[in-house]
Amino acid sequence: METKIFQKNEIKMAADTLRQNELVAFPTETVYGLGANATSEQAVKKVFAVKGRPTDNPLIVHVQNFEQVKNYVAQFHPLTPQIVERFWPGPLTLIFKTKPNAFPSVVSAGLSTVSFRMPNHPLTLALIEATGVPLVGPSANTSGRPSPTTSQHVYHDLQGKIAGILEGGATEIGVESTVLDLSDSHRAPMILRPGGVTKEELEAALGMDVLVDPHLVSESEAPKSPGMKYQHYAPSTKVLMIGPTDWEEALNWAQKQQLKVGLQASPEVVRRFQSQAQASYCYADNQVASATKGLFAGLRALDEADLDYIFVATYPETGLGTAYMNRLKKAANQKYFMNN
């Protein structure tokens, strides 16, 4: 199969392809999604097959607007209108209980809930409108690999396996959306996956505490949200997390072990230590937003450099740093330098 790159003036062609139950990757403000007709069991099953994704890992349904969600949900959490008004379109996924048989069961991994998101990207909103149905859109990469933040990343993983990619440039945020569980109308909203909308932003908008699900799903339990159960975001090269004061010790250890390492960190860290490494990926500045935007791109770039380890900078787990560290911990299999 030839994988076509659709330009912005070819959205109708991309939509026609999706209506034929083929797969087309699309850009969002978070990462690129692997699009398929969410109402077609045949199309959705292709997503799992192409990604190598476990079938008990539910998918997020991408919609054009909130009115589209109303076709599938029987009852909404009382805070839903306030949350949608403030955060949609945007990097926030909302979980609702759906009407019976609203989607093929493969979309929700057999659960009674479905995750919905309205992405903040004009090309993808136009694509959903032109297709005429909601689209599932997990990250458009091989399952477990770093998520794609450019069309080139998608092409690298999925060329010849999908019908097309809608070109939208590099993504803005760089990690997947926050997932907020609103399926229980009698409970406060609960974050199942941190992302582009922070706990602090949600609490400020709602004037109340927002719960956070702290546990990792066990092997026997079906995850309610993507990203809760399986190792994610990992390059082939081993990743170690390096604390702010541990760089010198970590690099000295690597030199003694005759290991080839790459640095992924702020300009300040890279300038100081790059002479002791075989490769480096420098974030745009020292801020966590830049680190988050560059996390997956850096892991992918350094994975091509024939290294033994990628050393990646940690950030405080507050605000957007919560999402950054959530992804980095999974990419590193929870391993810090001192734990190596």
Side-chain angles (χ1 to χ4, degrees):
M1 176 187 294
E2 180 184 353
T3 300
K4 176 175 173 55
I5 306 298
F6 294 105
Q7 302 301 324
K8 62 182 179 180
N9 62 343
E10 297 176 308
I11 286 177
K12 184 180 182 300
M13 190 185 306
D16 290 341
T17 303
L18 286 164
R19 282 196 295 271
Q20 294 165 14
N21 289 334
E22 298 296 343
L23 307 186
V24 176
F26 55 75
T28 76
E29 76 279 30
T30 58
V31 301
Y32 272 73
L34 182 54
N37 178 351
T39 67
S40 166
E41 182 177 14
Q42 177 189 351
V44 175
K45 283 184 174 179
K46 287 183 180 180
V47 170
F48 286 94
V50 163
K51 282 179 60 69
R53 182 185 178 97
T55 55
D56 68 347
N57 199 3
L59 301 175
I60 293 172
V61 174
H62 292 65
V63 295
Q64 178 189 350
N65 50 42
F66 184 59
E67 290 300 312
Q68 203 167 30
V69 180
K70 294 178 181 178
N71 296 326
Y72 304 100
V73 176
Q75 184 179 6
F76 288 101
H77 192 287
L79 291 173
T80 301
Q82 188 176 348
I83 293 170
V84 168
E85 174 68 24
R86 170 63 179 82
F87 294 105
W88 275 20
L92 181 65
T93 293
L94 304 176
I95 296 181
F96 300 114
K97 283 188 177 178
T98 54
K99 299 174 184 177
N101 304 313
F103 293 99
S105 62
V106 67
V107 171
S108 61
L111 299 173
S112 61
T113 56
V114 170
S115 306
F116 294 90
R117 182 162 101 83
M118 180 184 176
N120 190 16
H121 198 292
L123 295 183
T124 292
L125 292 176
L127 179 65
I128 299 170
E129 181 179 15
T131 306
V133 293
L135 303 176
V136 297
S139 57
N141 59 302
T142 303
S143 193
R145 292 270 297 155
S147 298
T149 56
T150 68
S151 61
Q152 289 83 6
H153 295 161
V154 180
Y155 194 81
H156 177 274
D157 280 17
L158 302 181
Q159 60 174 307
K161 298 179 181 180
I162 64 176
I165 303 167
L166 178 59
E167 176 61 64
T171 64
E172 286 298 315
I173 295 174
V175 298
E176 297 82 357
S177 61
T178 302
V179 176
L180 189 68
D181 187 1
L182 295 179
S183 62
D184 187 343
S185 298
H186 303 291
R187 188 186 67 191
M190 176 180 285
I191 294 173
L192 301 188
R193 181 181 74 183
V197 172
T198 67
K199 180 178 188 287
E200 294 84 351
E201 288 173 325
L202 284 164
E203 291 179 337
L206 298 176
M208 62 181 291
D209 290 338
V210 172
L211 305 175
V212 177
D213 188 346
H215 80 286
L216 294 172
V217 177
S218 68
E219 286 302 313
S220 61
E221 187 177 355
K224 202 170 189 178
S225 161
M228 292 185 70
K229 181 174 180 179
Y230 296 96
Q231 183 176 359
H232 278 65
Y233 322 119
S236 300
T237 309
K238 292 179 182 178
V239 176
L240 276 183
M241 296 180 281
I242 312 296
T245 61
D246 294 332
W247 284 99
E248 187 169 355
E249 185 179 355
L251 286 161
N252 287 339
W253 167 80
Q255 284 187 318
K256 288 178 182 177
Q257 302 295 321
Q258 297 184 318
L259 297 171
K260 295 181 290 184
V261 301
L263 309 183
Q264 183 169 331
S266 68
E268 179 183 353
V269 169
V270 170
R271 278 196 300 268
R272 183 178 175 190
F273 295 109
Q274 64 181 345
S275 63
Q276 295 174 257
Q278 280 67 44
S280 63
Y281 183 92
C282 187
Y283 296 142
D285 55 40
N286 297 330
Q287 302 303 307
V288 70
S290 295
T292 304
K293 183 175 182 178
L295 176 61
F296 292 143
L299 291 174
R300 282 180 171 269
L302 291 176
D303 201 27
E304 302 294 323
D306 188 29
L307 303 170
D308 295 306
Y309 280 94
I310 302 172
F311 287 179
V312 185
T314 62
Y315 280 78
E317 293 188 56
T318 58
L320 192 57
T322 305
Y324 174 89
M325 289 302 298
N326 172 267
R327 305 315 193 273
L328 177 55
K329 285 178 179 179
K330 290 180 178 179
N333 200 22
Q334 310 294 325
K335 292 182 178 178
Y336 288 84
F337 163 66
M338 294 304 294
N339 295 332
N340 183 52

